[in-house]
Amino acid sequence: MRTTPTSRPADPALPTTSGRAMFQLRTWARRPAVVDLGVALLFLAAAVWVGQGLWPDPTTRELILNPEDQILIEWFFAVDVQVLFGDQGLVTDRLNAPDGMNMLANATSLTLGLLLAPVTLTAGAPVSFAIATIGNLAATAIAWYLLFSRTLGAHRLAAAVAAGFCGFAPAMISHSNSHWHMSSQWLVPAIAWSVIRLTRAAEQRDHRRILTSALWLAGLVIAQYFLGAEVLYLAAVAFALFSIGYAVLRLGWARKILPGFLTGMAVATGLATAALAYPIWVQLAGPVSVADGPFDPYYYSADLASWTNFSPLSIAGSDSAAALATGPAEYNAFLGWPLLLAAVAGVIWLRDNPLVLAAAGASAILAVLSLGPELIMYQTRMQIPLPYVALVDTPVIDGALPQRYAVAVVPLLALILLVGLERARRQTDWQRYAVPVVAAAVLLPLLPTPLPAGDRDPVPQFISEGHWRECVSPGGVLVPVPLPTPPEPEPMRWAAAANAEFGLPEGFFIGPYGAGGTASMGTAKRTTSALLAEVAATGAAPEIGREQRAHAQADLAYWNAECVVLGPGQQHETALRDTLAALLNAPGQRIADAWVWPVAR
């Protein structure tokens, strides 16, 4: 008699196939490298969300809160490409012809420009700008996360929270409005890593690691100088204040590491100084250089009330708070009163930790410096002098805006947050849960909103289709009408679209054209550029005679101009065309969508 086999019941102690798969998936997902990748992708997604307004076509989009600086940055990306073709990249003749423009005095970011040069060459400067906007945010957060989790050994969740604050703090979001030299902070954590590595090597008296740490520090400082010199300066000030405070709190330890640490710092300083001596000379004393800044420290100071308010670019912010800053790209101190109260409470709670006390002391000093030479409260000058008054008119230092010292406070507060989350994680009482809840409550209002963006006019076909080559030789000077100025730099987009293969007169830049050779924004207009600007503004075509024609010939000769171009869609286009025809004794040629006047030389 045959029996039909029956299946045996599953042993509940043995995992099923699906159970084994889930177990393996959970094990894989908990691997440190996978967690790190997940955090990095999360930061990238957040950055893309913040910069979503520039996509899907960056060539037709702009950040509407600071479009002038976006044009300047796109021009920087274009002119940086010329380094690949032999241009040294420190002083360029592609703007402010014939004098040129000092790139280092104009907050250029040669490191970023060279990294994105392939993108600029193949897809255009606006695409590089869009990538840099989101890339700086994501890369800065990722770099701090790696420092906190791998170098300092923090739990990855705590490290992600603190690093997210560093990368997406109100100041970072604000400077993402076309202040690429301020939002490019992703090398600062690497600099901190090299200093920590040097400190640990000095403690262990490991001379080889002291030397290699010094080499790393020197290389990173050099790279950061060309990425953003002002960020390097602010980081150096913050590191110095923090290090002094930490050493005072741990004097015995400081004495132990001092010989090795000073040796390493001397090597790093010597190497960086040797490599940067010429660029710094170019920046401060070279051609078309400025030794000061064009920005008044009494104006560009943080309002005390801005510290307790929320940025208009945060989810808890309001447009009314914008009056507490000098512009939408300078919401440096808007941390909000909940975070400040939590930071004070955290310092009191963690007062036995020298890292926290050193960070708190450095933060307090930087916050006071950010207030500038005179206290301002809700836009009212209180007639109370502050310590920064001693730094006014100090060469080099006055090139950094006082309110930007607040930017350096963010990583220090993030360190306090990190230590607090780490201590709470090791607790077994209510603190284990209360601290993360408080951290979330004070950070959530600071979450950013997408950067406001809008459409912009396309570059003329005369430029985009390469017709400009019919009247301007490579490296020659094209005179757009009207000429570019700091408030209206639109023609610089033409040069950016052509990868700066031709130069422009005048423009939007910092140069030594103020009283007595001091710093100025742009340069004084010549007779012809002033006349054309007036026609563009009023639509009134002036009577042109021999004197005006003589001035036009002299100005064109001074600029070494090869071609004068009136692009499409200009306000009062007819009046401008008639004026140019009278000035140049020619009706002009229609090439693509532009009116063109070749200049006989």
Side-chain angles (χ1 to χ4, degrees):
M1 181 177 178
R2 297 180 61 187
T3 59
T4 303
T6 58
S7 58
R8 291 186 304 171
D11 185 348
L14 297 175
T16 63
T17 301
S18 61
R20 286 196 300 271
M22 289 300 297
F23 175 77
Q24 291 172 351
L25 181 61
R26 286 195 298 268
T27 302
W28 176 83
R30 290 172 181 167
R31 294 174 61 184
V34 175
V35 174
D36 292 348
L37 178 61
V39 171
L41 291 175
L42 178 63
F43 287 150
L44 179 59
V48 170
W49 182 78
V50 170
Q52 62 183 274
L54 293 172
W55 302 95
D57 185 5
T59 60
T60 63
R61 302 289 289 172
E62 67 181 3
L63 297 177
I64 60 177
L65 295 182
N66 193 14
E68 297 82 11
D69 278 348
Q70 178 173 345
I71 292 172
L72 176 61
I73 290 176
E74 290 177 2
W75 183 86
F76 276 140
F77 274 122
V79 81
D80 284 343
V81 167
Q82 296 303 315
V83 176
L84 303 180
F85 303 102
D87 191 324
Q88 64 164 322
L90 302 183
V91 178
T92 180
D93 61 357
R94 303 304 165 90
L95 196 66
N96 189 36
D99 292 353
M101 187 261 271
N102 190 309
M103 297 281 282
L104 296 177
N106 279 271
T108 185
S109 185
L110 190 58
T111 300
L112 200 55
L114 291 178
L115 285 174
L116 291 174
V119 176
T120 305
L121 281 170
T122 56
V127 176
S128 291
F129 175 84
I131 292 174
T133 299
I134 63 177
N136 280 340
L137 293 172
T140 299
I142 292 169
W144 282 111
Y145 168 77
L146 294 175
L147 179 76
F148 292 152
S149 61
R150 295 193 175 188
T151 303
L152 299 184
H155 186 272
R156 281 173 164 74
L157 179 58
V161 172
F165 174 56
C166 289
F168 296 89
M172 282 289 292
I173 301 302
S174 176
H175 284 295
S176 294
N177 282 297
S178 306
H179 280 182
W180 68 337
H181 66 295
M182 291 300 301
S183 62
S184 298
Q185 299 183 24
W186 33 274
L187 283 182
V188 175
I191 293 173
W193 163 81
S194 64
V195 174
I196 293 171
R197 188 176 188 269
L198 171 60
T199 302
R200 291 173 176 173
E203 187 174 14
Q204 298 166 1
R205 293 183 171 82
D206 187 333
H207 300 295
R208 178 178 174 277
R209 284 176 63 85
I210 288 174
L211 178 59
T212 56
S213 299
L215 293 174
W216 272 111
L217 179 57
L220 290 166
V221 164
I222 294 167
Q224 180 61 54
Y225 174 80
F226 291 109
L227 182 62
E230 190 168 355
V231 165
L232 177 61
Y233 166 75
L234 294 173
V237 173
F239 278 138
L241 293 173
F242 174 84
S243 300
I244 292 170
Y246 190 74
V248 169
L249 292 167
R250 296 190 62 189
L251 279 176
W253 171 85
R255 291 192 189 98
K256 177 182 177 182
I257 72 158
L258 192 60
F261 182 79
L262 290 181
T263 299
M265 289 300 294
V267 172
T269 302
L271 291 173
T273 300
L276 295 176
Y278 176 70
I280 291 174
W281 175 84
V282 170
Q283 178 181 356
L284 301 178
V288 212
S289 63
V290 294
D292 60 341
F295 308 108
D296 183 0
Y298 284 87
Y299 177 75
Y300 288 96
S301 300
D303 191 310
L304 181 61
S306 67
W307 281 93
T308 58
N309 276 264
F310 296 108
S311 165
L313 298 176
S314 298
I315 61 173
S318 66
D319 292 339
S320 61
L324 300 176
T326 57
E330 297 292 349
Y331 299 148
N332 296 295
F334 289 77
L335 294 177
W337 61 266
L339 176 59
L340 295 181
L341 286 179
V344 172
V347 171
I348 295 173
W349 177 46
L350 303 166
R351 61 187 179 276
D352 59 331
N353 190 309
L355 284 174
V356 169
L357 293 182
S363 297
I365 295 172
L366 291 166
V368 171
L369 290 175
S370 77
L371 301 177
E374 186 177 72
L375 183 64
I376 303 172
M377 181 73 170
Y378 283 108
Q379 301 176 266
T380 301
R381 295 196 175 275
M382 309 303 291
Q383 307 298 318
I384 300 175
L386 296 173
Y388 190 91
V389 73
L391 302 178
V392 173
D393 295 329
T394 303
V396 181
I397 290 179
D398 70 347
L401 279 58
Q403 59 190 349
R404 291 182 180 171
Y405 284 93
V407 174
V409 172
V410 170
L412 296 169
L413 292 184
L415 180 60
I416 297 173
L417 173 65
L418 181 74
V419 173
L421 291 173
E422 281 292 290
R423 176 168 294 188
R425 189 172 63 87
R426 294 192 293 269
Q427 303 299 313
T428 57
D429 57 7
W430 59 272
Q431 298 178 52
R432 181 179 180 87
Y433 307 100
V435 172
V437 169
V438 170
V442 301
L443 292 178
L444 284 175
L446 302 180
L447 290 178
T449 57
L451 296 171
D455 292 326
R456 62 179 174 181
D457 294 332
V459 171
Q461 294 173 357
F462 174 78
I463 299 295
S464 61
E465 296 177 0
H467 297 288
W468 62 270
R469 292 186 175 88
E470 298 178 29
C471 67
V472 183
S473 60
V477 176
L478 180 150
V479 179
V481 177
L483 279 73
T485 63
E488 295 180 353
E490 182 68 19
M492 291 172 61
R493 288 185 60 216
W494 302 6
N499 286 328
E501 290 186 40
F502 57 78
L504 301 173
E506 301 183 5
F508 176 21
F509 65 99
I510 297 174
Y513 299 106
T518 56
S520 66
M521 293 300 298
T523 183
K525 285 186 169 296
R526 295 185 70 83
T527 303
T528 304
S529 57
L531 184 149
L532 294 172
E534 184 176 356
V535 176
T538 66
E543 189 153 341
I544 302 298
R546 182 180 301 172
E547 181 181 356
Q548 288 78 16
R549 292 189 186 96
H551 279 304
Q553 292 303 317
D555 291 339
L556 291 172
Y558 174 78
W559 293 325
N560 296 319
E562 296 183 12
C563 193
V564 178
V565 179
L566 175 62
Q570 293 289 344
Q571 186 180 22
H572 306 306
E573 180 178 344
T574 301
L576 283 168
R577 189 170 70 246
D578 292 343
T579 301
L580 286 168
L583 278 174
L584 303 176
N585 270 326
Q589 307 172 27
R590 184 73 173 179
I591 302 179
D593 56 352
W595 286 94
V596 179
W597 287 262
V599 177
R601 302 185 65 191

